[in-house]
Amino acid sequence: EILALVEGLLAAGPLRGVKALVTSGPTFEPIDPVRFIGNRSSGKQGHAIASALARLGAEVTLVTGPVRLTDPAGVTTVHVETAREMLGACLGRLPVDVAVCAAAVADWTVSNASKEKRKKEAGAPPPAIELAPNPDILATLSESGGARPHLVVGFAAETERVLEHAGAKLERKGCDWIVANDVSPATGTFGGDFNTVHLITRAGTEPWPRASKADVAERLAWRIVDALGGHKGEQE
Amino acid sequence: EILALVEGLLAAGPLRGVKALVTSGPTFEPIDPVRFIGNRSSGKQGHAIASALARLGAEVTLVTGPVRLTDPAGVTTVHVETAREMLGACLGRLPVDVAVCAAAVADWTVSNASKEKRKKEAGAPPPAIELAPNPDILATLSESGGARPHLVVGFAAETERVLEHAGAKLERKGCDWIVANDVSPATGTFGGDFNTVHLITRAGTEPWPRASKADVAERLAWRIVDALGGHKGEQE
């Protein structure tokens, strides 16, 4: 009888009626029509989270930068390039119950981007690339007032002093949880299929064992089930 | 009988005994362990040229930057990231009979690249990205003295005044041919499956009709057969 009950709950999906927003992948910030500043995020972790939430019954929108992955089944996927486009796509999706910001959003955009390809001129110095801060998607979602998701989860991809940087990020951004991972090249996390993370909440820091990105996504999705608990989808 | 003769020639391959070097894709120039400057080259044209040369019997080495393509059948593929790595891989392959430089090699590298991820500091100005010229692979191969390939073909990816820029490039680099294409975003050339090119030789400029990148590669490969003509592989 208990088994039947559990199966019934799973069939309905513990996240049925919950709206989720997930960001994934890198952003590309144009320097000119052919060059850009990018980063090594593969989108594998973010896409796996979108899939896991959808399997648990959530209505998921995935906003992704340029990745080599196919769009996950059962998820509404929106493709963007720049941080500014990603922010716009996210804000357009509010209100949601939970937002998981797994994208590696560029901190800076190129403020002097050129409409034509920059030419290398013999004897001339290299062009200057001027950077300006990008909008902060995680902080913006965390501060979105009446439309703030019930739960806002950020990611911190660090190469040194991972927990210290991630803990500071939780405070600075005003989000609820941070999933902190070490993306030093030696770990193979960026682009790889495995991840070793810490979950940092207001209650403390939990080290999670090394696991596939799919398994990290499953575990995180079930933690989101717990956290939303009584909080039902806004539409219900 | 003529048909049998042609078939026999094709079976042997008109480029049998010819060593070819092809570069393809973008290069990525690191800013720090996670960020890089890249470009929108998909590698489709370069990979198609490597395949076409191999099908005509050449012994082909493909040196490619980061692309989403599978390694072409019948081709020795070498994977690199930066322009400097690409140059090293090319020089290590000399002598060859023909070099086709289809890669979109970064003109500049980041001279102040950081070993740790650059942090966004509250209130601090964005970091400065300092550029320095990369080695020029096409010019280096064109000037490689006794080891110079019999035929050196470059590509010019321009967004404006395409023929003017490409003609100047032929002179400046000292190569034999330039395949000039317009990669303005509106053309869809970068990442797309079609290409509209001009072949610029010392004899003049030929407009080629819009065609698939596979067909442009075939046509170029047959032009290379013509150009090498009597020139046989160095090893024979």
Side-chain angles (χ1 to χ4, degrees):
Chain A
E1 267 184 38
I2 289 174
L3 188 66
L5 183 66
V6 170
E7 279 177 345
L9 283 172
L10 283 173
L15 292 177
R16 187 161 166 272
V18 166
K19 289 181 79 169
L21 172 66
V22 179
T23 69
S24 187
T27 65
F28 283 0
E29 306 295 328
I31 296 172
D32 65 23
V34 301
R35 301 179 180 96
F36 59 85
I37 297 180
N39 68 65
R40 297 181 191 279
S41 169
S42 64
K44 286 180 180 175
Q45 186 64 77
H47 280 54
I49 291 166
S51 287
L53 292 172
R55 278 197 305 273
L56 296 186
E59 184 188 331
V60 182
T61 299
L62 172 65
V63 180
T64 180
V67 294
R68 303 181 192 193
L69 307 172
T70 51
D71 294 352
V75 167
T76 301
T77 303
V78 179
H79 293 268
V80 299
E81 284 250 322
T82 67
R84 192 164 292 277
E85 290 165 8
M86 186 172 277
L87 176 64
C90 288
L91 293 179
R93 189 66 186 177
L94 299 184
V96 297
D97 301 295
V98 53
V100 180
C101 298
V105 182
D107 287 321
W108 301 284
T109 189
V110 179
S111 56
N112 62 339
S114 163
K115 285 193 177 172
E116 299 294 344
K117 183 181 171 191
R118 294 195 196 185
K119 307 295 298 173
K120 184 167 68 169
E121 311 275 3
I129 293 181
E130 291 165 16
L131 300 179
N134 259 327
D136 189 323
I137 297 174
L138 178 58
T140 302
L141 292 177
S142 297
E143 290 160 4
S144 43
R148 186 191 191 277
H150 184 74
L151 181 68
V152 179
V153 183
F155 270 67
E158 307 289 347
T159 59
E160 50 168 357
R161 294 184 293 160
V162 174
L163 292 183
E164 179 188 333
H165 283 147
K169 187 168 183 175
L170 183 75
E171 295 306 323
R172 199 170 64 242
K173 307 283 187 171
C175 59
D176 302 299
W177 299 350
I178 287 277
V179 180
N181 54 7
D182 184 342
V183 297
S184 303
T187 66
T189 298
F190 262 159
D193 290 320
F194 284 80
N195 209 349
T196 310
V197 308
H198 286 72
L199 179 66
I200 300 172
T201 71
R202 300 279 164 184
T205 295
E206 302 170 21
W208 286 9
R210 178 177 157 85
S212 73
K213 289 181 176 177
D215 285 345
V216 169
E218 287 283 339
R219 184 170 180 170
L220 186 68
W222 281 107
R223 283 297 291 265
I224 289 171
V225 171
D226 293 342
L228 291 182
H231 177 82
K232 281 290 165 197
E234 322 228 346
Q235 282 70 36
E236 297 207 332
Chain B
E1 268 185 38
I2 289 174
L3 188 64
L5 183 66
V6 169
E7 280 175 346
L9 283 172
L10 284 174
L15 292 177
R16 185 160 168 272
V18 166
K19 290 181 77 170
L21 172 66
V22 180
T23 70
S24 186
T27 65
F28 283 1
E29 306 294 329
I31 296 172
D32 64 22
V34 302
R35 302 179 179 95
F36 58 84
I37 297 179
N39 69 65
R40 297 182 191 277
S41 169
S42 65
K44 286 179 180 175
Q45 186 65 77
H47 279 54
I49 291 165
S51 287
L53 292 171
R55 277 197 305 275
L56 295 186
E59 183 188 334
V60 182
T61 298
L62 172 66
V63 180
T64 180
V67 294
R68 303 181 191 193
L69 307 173
T70 51
D71 294 351
V75 167
T76 301
T77 303
V78 179
H79 294 268
V80 299
E81 284 248 324
T82 67
R84 193 165 294 276
E85 290 166 8
M86 186 171 277
L87 176 64
C90 288
L91 292 179
R93 190 66 187 176
L94 298 184
V96 297
D97 301 294
V98 54
V100 181
C101 297
V105 181
D107 287 321
W108 300 285
T109 190
V110 179
S111 55
N112 63 338
S114 164
K115 285 193 176 173
E116 300 294 342
K117 184 181 171 189
R118 295 195 194 185
K119 307 295 300 174
K120 184 167 67 170
E121 312 275 3
I129 293 181
E130 291 165 15
L131 300 179
N134 260 326
D136 188 322
I137 297 174
L138 179 58
T140 303
L141 292 177
S142 297
E143 290 160 5
S144 44
R148 186 192 193 276
H150 185 74
L151 181 68
V152 179
V153 183
F155 270 67
E158 307 289 348
T159 59
E160 51 168 356
R161 294 185 293 161
V162 174
L163 292 183
E164 177 189 337
H165 284 147
K169 187 167 183 176
L170 183 75
E171 294 305 324
R172 200 169 63 243
K173 308 282 188 171
C175 60
D176 302 299
W177 300 349
I178 287 276
V179 180
N181 54 5
D182 184 342
V183 297
S184 302
T187 65
T189 297
F190 262 159
D193 290 320
F194 284 80
N195 209 350
T196 311
V197 307
H198 285 73
L199 179 66
I200 300 172
T201 71
R202 301 281 164 181
T205 295
E206 303 170 20
W208 285 9
R210 179 176 156 85
S212 73
K213 288 180 177 178
D215 284 346
V216 169
E218 286 283 339
R219 184 169 179 171
L220 186 68
W222 280 106
R223 284 297 290 264
I224 289 171
V225 171
D226 293 343
L228 291 182
H231 176 80
K232 280 291 163 195
E234 321 228 347
Q235 281 70 35
E236 299 206 332

